[in-house]
Amino acid sequence: MVQLVIHADDVGMCHGANRAFAELSHFGTITSGSVMVPCPWFTEIAETAATDDALDCGIHLTLNAEMDHYRWGPVSSAGPSSGLVDEHGYLWRDVASVRRNAHPDAVEQEWRAQIDRALAAGINVTHLVFCAFHPNAPGGAEIEVIEPENFHVRTDEYELFGTADWREWLTSQPYELVSMGDLAQP
């Protein structure tokens, strides 16, 4: 039987994302999610995940903060010379700016700091998600250029995944719903 992971992205960004992830995980229509550690609502989801073994959490390794009035900075002590932050001390708004400015050593330091913070908070980290890097980008393993203002499509996932009809349809398909953690088990 085909195994299917239904993954929620951007957990930790806001209270609504955290609640939706937890509720839909328990409802059975989301099987895994990735947490953005630098975000303001990280602590809430970390506390929830540390006490709820049913939640399968990975880390969405984060190098940008694209919103106009809702920003976050790095977890590491990265300063301006790291190339990770803009003139206000926040992570860059777009991936192209990260591409132009970030130093590889600073990226590694930041990602390690995000992983360390998640583990220290008690999250059982089952996987890592690299949304900003793509191995098939020109030049290989370069930062993928995705600009939210040009290529941003969002659906109301909670409305879709929170219905009994959706859950019934999912369970009638020839899939076994699994989490990322399940895939790591022998």
Side-chain angles (χ1 to χ4, degrees):
M1 180 174 284
V2 174
Q3 294 181 314
L4 177 66
V5 174
I6 301 179
H7 191 270
D9 200 20
D10 297 350
V11 180
M13 184 185 290
C14 63
H15 174 68
N18 295 345
R19 287 215 34 203
F21 170 63
E23 289 176 11
L24 295 173
S25 291
H26 287 285
F27 189 61
T29 56
I30 296 288
T31 60
S32 292
S34 55
V35 178
M36 296 174 69
V37 177
C39 292
W41 285 86
F42 166 75
T43 303
E44 178 187 56
I45 195 60
E47 289 173 2
T48 302
T51 60
D52 188 345
D53 291 336
L55 297 180
D56 183 83
C57 293
I59 300 173
H60 174 153
L61 295 167
T62 305
L63 294 176
N64 68 315
E66 69 273 6
M67 299 192 188
D68 287 333
H69 303 290
Y70 187 60
R71 309 283 309 281
W72 44 85
V75 171
S76 66
S77 57
S81 64
S82 70
L84 291 178
V85 297
D86 65 14
E87 66 276 9
H88 303 289
Y90 296 114
L91 294 173
W92 293 102
R93 288 185 193 276
D94 56 77
V95 175
S97 294
V98 177
R99 173 184 232 159
R100 282 192 304 275
N101 296 288
H103 299 286
D105 290 344
V107 169
E108 179 182 354
Q109 179 184 5
E110 175 60 21
W111 281 352
R112 286 177 184 260
Q114 290 177 25
I115 294 166
D116 289 345
R117 179 179 275 177
L119 292 171
I123 295 176
N124 178 23
V125 177
T126 61
H127 61 286
L128 303 176
V129 176
F130 304 89
C131 292
F133 283 85
H134 193 284
N136 295 325
E142 291 183 356
I143 297 173
E144 184 177 2
V145 180
I146 298 174
E147 303 300 335
E149 63 274 0
N150 297 324
F151 302 102
H152 187 77
V153 177
R154 188 124 184 124
T155 61
D156 191 341
E157 293 93 350
Y158 191 86
E159 290 298 317
L160 172 65
F161 293 122
T163 66
D165 288 342
W166 174 254
R167 183 173 63 182
E168 184 179 316
W169 180 84
L170 267 179
T171 57
S172 73
Q173 300 305 304
Y175 307 124
E176 175 188 7
L177 294 178
V178 297
S179 68
M180 296 297 283
D182 293 335
L183 294 177
Q185 302 301 318

